[in-house]
Amino acid sequence: MSSLSDLRAVLPAWAARLHPFHPRLLDSLRGYERSRFLADLGAGATVGIVALPLAMAFAIASGVKPEQGLYTAIVAGFLISLLGGSSVQIGGPAGAFIVIVYGIIERHGLANLLIATMLAGVLLFLMGLLRLGGLVRYIPVSIVIGFTNGIAVLIALSQLRDLFGLDIAKMPADFFAQIRTLWLHRESFNPWAFALGAGCLGGLFVWARLFKPGTPLPRELVEGRSGRVISRVPGPIVALVTLTLLSRLLELPVATIGSRFGGIPQSLPAFDPPDFDWATAKQLLMPTLTIALLGAIESLLCARVADNMIDAPRHDPNQELMAQGVANFVAPFLGGIPATGTIARTVTNVRAGATSPVAGMLHALILLLIMLAAAPLALHVPLAVLAGILLFVAWNMGEWHEFVRLRHFRLPYRSVLLGTFFLTVVFDLTVAVEVGLLLACGFFIWRMSQLFAIERLAPAPEIDTTTFQDTLPGAPDGVEVHSLYGTLFFGAIGKVEALPERLRPDTRVLVLEMHRLISIDTSGVDALVQLHRQLQRRGVRLIVAALNAQPRSLLERSGFVALLGPHGLAPTLAAAMAAAAVMPPVAPPPRPAA
């Protein structure tokens, strides 16, 4: 820049490429009426009740205190709804983060988890600001299904300690180490804890189906007003309250939130920024990327699910990422853990009648009121009941039917899905996604290379009326025509390199007909240059005919068209045949003296 004025002249154009910060709430409040507020209030209350046990369960399973899950659901949930790009999405702690958070705490400690969450928030905000929200959609569905099912398995495994009531002070993060630890402590099995956890899990499966038509209940109860009211009560709340009361009344010898954590505070924590230094931040690169990547994928997948359930404008992925970034940056200052969009609570929000982001904001405020009023009661919640709730979440989270459907797909899809699944379970999500993407890219290159073909055209006097291209109006002696199909890129150049070996010995002119060649890259151009040199050494001329716009532009810019000479490029196959009929063979270069 020569002057400050030049810098000012460039800034508006540069800033115009950034995504504007425009929360969906601003659009939703236009024409906002009392009836919509009441609908959002009812939905927010329902989701707030649902979020209570889930937030505590996710936090405990992640290796932090239960109140940290509540803080995350309140603070991050409010900010995601306030600033997000979706009308009905609910944010907060998610089951997908359990394994990630637990592993980061095991390796780096809680303080560094908070720092990594803040850095991931900055990264998420920048992804949205730079309009990278659409790139998440390019992650293959096989990878998403693979790591989602893998995380579900790890969540289920992490809950077996509390489900069986085993006397284990701390579970390791490694998959095989967890199995070994569970086996070594099998003698501390608590049948009362198992009964509570199994009863919770079974009850949750039954509750959702209890008031549907076709159940054994009387029709009047199923279809009556009382039945509709009862069916709207969240199953986790029913399990939490009934089983906690049962455990308390019978004085069952099981671990509770109070016995392990000492209870839940009745207030939000003080503003407490974690100690930050660049030396530590450099060591948290992979945890930061993992949190940001998983948060982006989960939130945008959740928003897409919500879009399919409501009659409203589709979500803004870039605004959603910016909101996720702000939430994940702010929440750690109040003791929060990573947050993202949550499918279960979002679906509950939609089904409860939410009309705008106000419902998500109200859900956070109602959850805050519940925490302030009912914190002493949480002392008596059995951990086995929370384990049963999380096992139910893990079951619903996994797309297990996809394993059955694998027989309908080919090897590439199976390899990517199963590879991502097993790597997620055995190693971690970062390795799984990296290897999954490499496998997906490798198989994509292989499939694209299979689509590219070079075929010899046989003489035919007719015109192909479907493409209006001359098929081959009688080839002169010594002229051979080959047609190129698909995309000529680095993964397919081997077929071009093998072309000279397929030519007849008497060939003096080779015509490459390219009207079905969609595109070409620089490796394809280099392969054509090498082909031209090989043909020259054999005394064979090369003519390229019927180029499409992209291949023609690149061949001209690379100098290949000039290399062919004045008659080396023909607009149609007929023109190429006319030029080949009068074209003398090229004189091969002299051989070097012995």
Side-chain angles (χ1 to χ4, degrees):
M1 290 296 157
S2 58
S3 65
L4 183 60
S5 61
D6 294 334
L7 178 61
R8 290 175 177 172
V10 173
L11 278 178
W14 170 78
R17 299 188 183 97
L18 302 178
H19 191 275
F21 191 84
H22 186 82
R24 181 59 56 88
L25 179 66
L26 299 179
D27 299 326
S28 300
L29 291 180
R30 293 173 186 162
Y32 195 73
E33 300 174 348
R34 180 174 177 272
S35 59
R36 291 183 60 191
F37 174 77
L38 293 177
D40 287 337
L41 178 60
T46 302
V47 180
I49 295 172
V50 172
L52 176 67
L54 293 179
M56 293 191 297
F58 290 153
I60 293 172
S62 300
V64 298
K65 296 180 179 179
E67 59 264 28
Q68 291 182 264
L70 294 173
Y71 299 155
T72 306
I74 294 169
V75 177
F78 184 86
L79 291 175
I80 289 173
S81 295
L82 175 68
L83 307 175
S86 173
S87 299
V88 293
Q89 176 153 273
I90 300 296
F97 274 122
I98 289 177
V99 181
I100 306 302
V101 172
Y102 193 91
I104 294 174
I105 292 177
E106 282 289 299
R107 296 181 182 92
H108 304 282
L110 177 60
N112 287 331
L113 167 68
L114 302 181
I115 294 175
T117 304
M118 294 170 57
L119 294 175
V122 174
L123 184 57
L124 282 167
F125 186 88
L126 292 176
M127 289 171 62
L129 187 66
L130 298 175
R131 301 178 182 269
L132 300 180
L135 294 181
V136 177
R137 298 178 182 176
Y138 290 103
I139 296 179
V141 66
S142 54
I143 293 179
V144 176
I145 294 173
F147 78 67
T148 301
N149 286 3
I151 289 174
V153 169
L154 291 175
I155 292 174
L157 179 64
S158 68
Q159 297 310 299
L160 296 183
R161 173 185 66 166
D162 292 331
L163 177 68
F164 296 134
L166 302 181
D167 186 15
I168 302 174
K170 191 171 184 62
M171 288 286 289
D174 182 69
F175 173 74
F176 294 107
Q178 287 187 28
I179 295 177
R180 183 174 182 272
T181 302
L182 291 171
W183 177 253
L184 291 177
H185 292 80
R186 64 189 183 277
E187 294 182 357
S188 62
F189 171 74
N190 185 334
W192 300 110
F194 179 73
L196 287 174
C200 175
L201 182 60
L204 290 174
F205 276 108
V206 172
W207 185 259
R209 299 165 175 81
L210 193 59
F211 292 93
K212 289 185 178 180
T215 60
L217 294 178
R219 180 177 178 180
E220 295 78 11
L221 179 59
V222 175
E223 299 181 0
R225 180 170 180 174
S226 59
R228 290 194 298 268
V229 172
I230 295 174
S231 65
R232 290 185 179 181
V233 179
I237 289 295
V238 176
L240 190 71
V241 173
T242 56
L243 294 176
T244 299
L245 289 175
L246 180 64
S247 173
R248 182 66 176 165
L249 291 174
L250 299 179
E251 298 183 353
L252 299 180
V254 295
T256 63
I257 290 179
S259 65
R260 182 174 295 180
F261 300 101
I264 296 176
Q266 288 185 270
S267 63
L268 284 175
F271 186 80
D272 184 20
D275 295 333
F276 179 84
D277 63 86
W278 281 111
T280 303
K282 292 177 182 178
Q283 300 175 4
L284 299 175
L285 175 61
M286 292 311 298
T288 299
L289 292 176
T290 303
I291 294 173
L293 177 62
L294 184 57
I297 294 173
E298 286 291 316
S299 63
L300 297 185
L301 284 177
C302 177
R304 291 176 65 182
V305 171
D307 287 343
N308 296 329
M309 299 180 65
I310 60 174
D311 183 16
R314 298 188 67 82
H315 74 282
D316 181 347
N318 297 305
Q319 181 62 39
E320 188 62 35
L321 289 184
M322 287 193 283
Q324 300 285 337
V326 173
N328 280 283
F329 182 79
V330 174
F333 286 104
L334 298 172
I337 57 178
T340 185
T342 58
I343 294 179
R345 276 160 277 173
T346 298
V347 171
T348 302
N349 191 39
V350 174
R351 291 177 176 172
T355 67
S356 73
V358 174
M361 299 163 61
L362 290 173
H363 124 270
L365 296 177
I366 290 171
L367 183 58
L368 173 61
L369 294 177
I370 295 175
M371 184 189 74
L372 296 179
L377 301 179
L379 289 170
H380 310 296
V381 174
L383 296 178
V385 174
L386 294 180
I389 293 174
L390 280 185
L391 286 171
F392 183 71
V393 170
W395 174 260
N396 289 327
M397 179 180 176
E399 299 186 48
W400 313 112
H401 61 278
E402 292 295 332
F403 289 127
V404 180
R405 296 178 63 233
L406 282 178
R407 66 180 186 274
H408 300 301
F409 297 96
R410 295 186 177 180
L411 179 63
Y413 182 87
R414 299 176 186 175
S415 301
V416 173
L417 193 154
L418 293 176
T420 307
F421 171 75
F422 286 115
L423 288 173
T424 301
V425 172
V426 176
F427 293 97
D428 59 54
L429 177 66
T430 306
V431 174
V433 173
E434 290 173 352
V435 175
L437 285 173
L438 288 176
L439 286 174
C441 291
F443 283 123
F444 176 78
I445 293 171
W446 176 78
R447 286 196 300 268
M448 292 299 295
S449 67
Q450 298 302 304
L451 294 177
F452 177 76
I454 303 177
E455 296 182 3
R456 179 186 285 113
L457 293 185
E462 296 88 5
I463 300 295
D464 186 350
T465 57
T466 59
T467 61
F468 298 99
Q469 294 282 345
D470 296 348
T471 52
L472 191 51
D477 293 339
V479 176
E480 193 166 341
V481 181
H482 289 255
S483 182
L484 277 63
Y485 299 84
T487 299
L488 179 54
F489 72 116
F490 62 90
I493 60 176
K495 297 179 181 180
V496 175
E497 295 171 347
L499 184 56
E501 308 302 324
R502 298 170 55 185
L503 300 180
R504 293 188 293 267
D506 61 341
T507 301
R508 60 181 181 84
V509 179
L510 171 63
V511 177
L512 294 181
E513 198 278 327
M514 296 188 177
H515 87 276
R516 292 179 180 171
L517 184 71
I518 301 173
S519 64
I520 187 173
D521 70 352
T522 53
S523 296
V525 174
D526 183 70
L528 292 178
V529 171
Q530 300 302 324
L531 173 66
H532 181 259
R533 291 175 180 172
Q534 292 184 49
L535 295 176
Q536 279 190 320
R537 288 194 291 267
R538 297 176 54 171
V540 179
R541 291 187 179 273
L542 177 63
I543 300 177
V544 175
L547 280 170
N548 287 310
Q550 191 276 338
R552 183 186 184 96
S553 174
L554 184 54
L555 291 177
E556 288 177 345
R557 288 183 283 113
S558 65
F560 179 72
V561 172
L563 184 66
L564 293 175
H567 303 291
L569 183 65
T572 64
L573 179 57
M577 301 303 293
V582 298
M583 186 177 288
V586 63
R591 295 182 179 180

